[in-house]
Structure formats: structure tokens, C-alpha cells
């Protein structure tokens, strides 16, 4: 599955960086782990994102409507990453 390939890459990135890049990779791992767990119920969630993934899965299973995600919280570092432009202005 493409999701598995993306997840492996995100874990590799998480393990290879620190600071804001590692935090962004951790959120990617959590997000993709939710997808993998839904696609493959026997998938083992990485320990460093286990609580967040389980929280998201419980929200999905509850069918209680929309709620904020603990994975997709926008912090100041996330906003900085989103506003980054590799091209000069």
C-alpha cells in the first residue's frame, strides 16, 4: 500500500531529524498510522504516536460528528512550515 510506503518514509524522517522537522514527521507518522490501522486492523502503531492514534480511532468509532484532531493541531512551528516558500519572492 502507498500508505505503508509513506508511513515508512515518515518514520525514517522522524528518526533522522530533531526539532521542528522531527515534530512534523511525528505528526505525519500519527496521521498515516490512523489510516493504516483502519486499512489493516492488525497494524502495530508505533509507540511514539500510540496515544494520539488511539484517540483519533476512538473519535472515528464513536461516530459523534466533527471534533478537533490532536494530530493536526497547528502550532507556531507548523504555521512557519506552511508559510515557507523555497522560491525567492
Amino acid at each position: 500500500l502507498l500508505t505503508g510506503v509513506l508511513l515508512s518514509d515518515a518514520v525514517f524522517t522522524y528518526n533522522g531529524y530533531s526539532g521542528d522537522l522531527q515534530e512534523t514527521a511525528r505528526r505525519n507518522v500519527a496521521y498515516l498510522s490512523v489510516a493504516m490501522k483502519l486499512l489493516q486492523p492488525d497494524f502495530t502503531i508505533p509507540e511514539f504516536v500510540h496515544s494520539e492514534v488511539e484517540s483519533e480511532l476512538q473519535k472515528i468509532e464513536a461516530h459523534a460528528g466533527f471534533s478537533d484532531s490532536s494530530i493536526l493541531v497547528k502550532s507556531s512551528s507548523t504555521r512557519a512550515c506552511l508559510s515557507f516558500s523555497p522560491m525567492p519572492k
Side-chain angles (χ1 to χ4, degrees):
L1 291 172
L2 179 58
T3 306
V5 173
L6 293 171
L7 178 59
S8 293
D9 185 60
V11 170
F12 179 80
T13 302
Y14 173 82
N15 290 325
Y17 290 92
S18 62
D20 289 345
L21 290 175
Q22 186 180 50
E23 175 59 17
T24 301
R26 187 188 66 75
R27 291 184 186 278
N28 288 343
V29 171
Y31 180 83
L32 292 163
S33 292
V34 170
M36 283 298 292
K37 192 67 173 176
L38 293 170
L39 291 168
Q40 297 178 352
D42 62 335
F43 170 73
T44 302
I45 300 167
E47 191 60 38
F48 62 95
V49 294
H50 193 271
S51 63
E52 289 171 300
V53 172
E54 284 296 330
S55 174
E56 293 298 310
L57 292 169
Q58 288 172 3
K59 290 175 189 176
I60 292 168
E61 290 171 9
H63 301 284
F66 294 100
S67 65
D68 291 336
S69 169
S70 60
I71 296 171
L72 301 177
V73 173
K74 291 186 180 177
S75 65
S76 59
S77 62
T78 304
R79 284 191 290 277
C81 289
L82 292 174
S83 65
F84 172 76
S85 174
M87 302 299 290
K89 294 181 178 182

